[in-house]
Amino acid sequence: MHSLKNELVNKASQLGFDRIKFMQVRQLELWDEEIKVRRQLDPDTARYWEERRLTASYASVMEDGRTFIVASYQYAPYRFEESSGKGYFNAHYAAYPKGRQAMQELAAILIESGFAAVVDPPLPIKQIAYLSGIGCFGKNGLIHNETNGSLMTLHLILTNAPLPVDVPNESCITDCGSCARCIHSCPTGAISNNGRVILSKCLRYHMLSPGIIPRDIREKMGSRMLGCEDCQACCPKNRARFQETVEPEVQIFDIMEILISHSSLKALMERIGKLVGKNYARAQRILSMAAIAAGNSGNPAYVEPLSRLIYHPHPQIRAHSAWAIGKIGGASARAVLEAALTKEDDPRVREELQYALARLEL
Ligand code: SF4
Ligand code: SF4
């Protein structure tokens, strides 16, 4: 088993993982408690937790599971200029599929050796990462360590291989001390004083959601299309990493391009899917986010494409477009909104149109 572990460690390093830990499986009893607290604190997001179907029981995933293998895949944060006409996306989303693919390669070694291995099983990975010694919890709810800060994606294998384990970390659950920068930097006040993130207030939770995003959240989204890292950029653990920002490999969210080519986004979805995974390449949701980013830019050039989107078949796109036109304002905004109101049947969109019209009076 020592030689198999060594092979995994060496391969992990070649694949770009900077840290890998082996831990004996255990029940994650604290997780069930945590979920109860989160549901009570934030009932609007109870369904989200149900849909994720995370379990505290490794045995429900693999009855004869013996070892958790946790690995961290670091990435450099992206450089971003608000005025570029591009929608912001966080480097995490481009790194995650690469880390997952690399973890599949590690799992293949176990499978070739005759063991079972499940990559990214539905277990609370952050808790396992903390227990295994990958890092500590920050008050922003993320795992960080002295090498990567929190700029890493975390990946997990559950296997029945009885591999030698590393010394677990059960002492320091957090090393934030009296720091509270992330709490104060969060644009929506989503991080509570005890370091719990209130999901319904977190911008990331609402991104690419299928419904109409609450107005107060839209207002704070700026040009973010995928991800928010305000609570990481301010963190002292990430200071050095944010001094080395890099250009994104490709720019996937050109706001004007998305708004103009709204009826033929297939090629763009393929590009997005290749970079960040198909799960995020959903045309209607991206269009919906682009309308919000356009509104937040205040750029009058977006009113013309938005005035066509205000008749889109999907109500959330109509609602966000109405809001965006009302926010940008300008000479044609009133006529566009009034004309749309005469044809709109959906009460939620009508309310957005009325709100947008009222906003023009301010
Ligand atoms: S991701 Fe953004 S919105 Fe969510 S907690 Fe962090 S700073 Fe707040
Ligand atoms: S900003 Fe401060 S409190 Fe927040 S995670 Fe970083 S060290 Fe912890």
Side-chain angles (χ1 to χ4, degrees):
M1 280 299 139
H2 280 282
S3 65
L4 179 57
K5 180 176 175 180
N6 285 341
E7 186 183 349
L8 290 164
V9 170
N10 292 335
K11 184 70 178 177
S13 166
Q14 287 166 20
L15 288 167
F17 291 111
D18 64 287
R19 204 172 273 208
I20 183 163
K21 296 283 178 186
F22 297 74
M23 179 186 147
Q24 187 174 6
V25 290
R26 54 180 273 188
Q27 286 298 107
L28 302 153
E29 59 287 333
L30 283 178
W31 178 250
D32 285 335
E33 284 307 307
E34 181 62 24
I35 286 297
K36 273 187 212 149
V37 173
R38 287 186 191 208
R39 280 188 175 141
Q40 275 166 5
L41 260 179
D42 201 7
D44 290 350
T45 57
R47 204 161 147 227
Y48 165 84
W49 293 110
E50 275 151 32
E51 284 170 0
R52 285 198 66 190
R53 293 175 183 275
L54 293 181
T55 169
S57 162
Y58 71 86
S60 66
V61 181
M62 187 183 287
E63 211 173 335
D64 63 343
R66 295 288 292 272
T67 312
F68 290 138
I69 305 173
V70 200
S72 58
Y73 192 84
Q74 64 164 229
Y75 60 84
Y78 287 158
R79 199 165 299 137
F80 183 72
E81 274 178 43
E82 193 71 47
S83 59
S84 63
K86 305 285 188 288
Y88 168 87
F89 80 106
N90 182 320
H92 171 96
Y93 294 88
Y96 187 86
K98 293 179 193 163
R100 188 180 159 87
Q101 175 58 36
M103 208 60 169
Q104 300 277 17
E105 292 191 40
L106 284 190
I109 294 175
L110 288 159
I111 291 165
E112 277 161 23
S113 304
F115 296 102
V118 178
V119 175
D120 292 338
L123 295 163
I125 188 166
K126 283 190 246 175
Q127 192 185 349
I128 299 171
Y130 148 67
L131 290 168
S132 71
I134 291 277
C136 302
F137 277 99
K139 288 179 186 167
N140 56 11
L142 302 172
I143 297 290
H144 59 221
N145 61 39
E146 66 284 0
T147 320
N148 297 330
S150 55
L151 299 172
M152 57 187 163
T153 64
L154 300 172
H155 302 274
L156 174 64
I157 293 173
L158 169 62
T159 178
N160 59 1
L163 295 158
V165 294
D166 302 315
V167 180
N169 169 21
E170 302 214 35
S171 52
C172 161
I173 192 161
T174 178
D175 58 354
C176 290
S178 59
C179 178
R181 284 173 192 235
C182 54
I183 294 173
H184 300 308
S185 298
C186 174
T188 55
I191 308 175
S192 58
N193 283 337
N194 63 8
R196 205 171 253 126
V197 175
I198 309 295
L199 264 191
S200 60
K201 289 187 178 181
C202 174
L203 298 179
R204 273 192 307 198
Y205 171 75
H206 292 279
M207 262 156 207
L208 297 183
S209 73
I212 297 175
I213 295 172
R215 275 201 287 268
D216 57 335
I217 296 288
R218 275 179 244 160
E219 294 284 349
K220 302 287 184 182
M221 276 183 162
S223 59
R224 296 174 184 87
M225 296 280 290
L226 191 53
C228 164
E229 55 188 9
D230 291 15
C231 58
Q232 297 186 80
C234 66
C235 176
K237 314 278 181 194
N238 292 327
R239 191 169 290 135
R241 308 293 313 285
F242 272 94
Q243 282 164 0
E244 297 164 12
T245 54
V246 298
E247 288 298 325
E249 296 136 77
V250 282
Q251 276 294 0
I252 47 176
F253 297 122
D254 183 308
I255 295 167
M256 188 60 98
E257 183 194 353
I258 296 169
L259 297 182
I260 287 174
S261 44
H262 62 88
S263 55
S264 56
L265 287 169
K266 198 166 168 237
L268 176 64
M269 290 311 116
E270 274 168 23
R271 261 198 292 151
I272 294 174
K274 266 188 200 150
L275 185 69
V276 296
K278 285 190 183 150
N279 205 24
Y280 295 111
R282 300 189 188 198
Q284 308 312 340
R285 298 185 190 186
I286 284 173
L287 195 49
S288 205
M289 294 297 301
I292 295 173
N296 281 328
S297 76
N299 183 346
Y302 292 128
V303 171
E304 202 273 324
L306 287 167
S307 63
R308 274 178 275 121
L309 282 181
I310 214 167
Y311 296 104
H312 194 278
H314 288 263
Q316 82 272 26
I317 295 172
R318 301 202 297 280
H320 293 166
S321 299
W323 170 85
I325 293 170
K327 181 152 188 184
I328 296 170
S332 62
R334 173 166 296 285
V336 168
L337 294 167
E338 283 177 344
L341 191 55
T342 62
K343 300 201 170 111
E344 183 59 61
D345 290 330
D346 188 312
R348 297 164 305 164
V349 186
R350 287 185 65 81
E351 197 272 330
E352 288 290 346
L353 285 159
Q354 281 152 352
Y355 177 86
L357 280 162
R359 192 173 205 174
L360 295 178
E361 303 292 333
L362 298 175

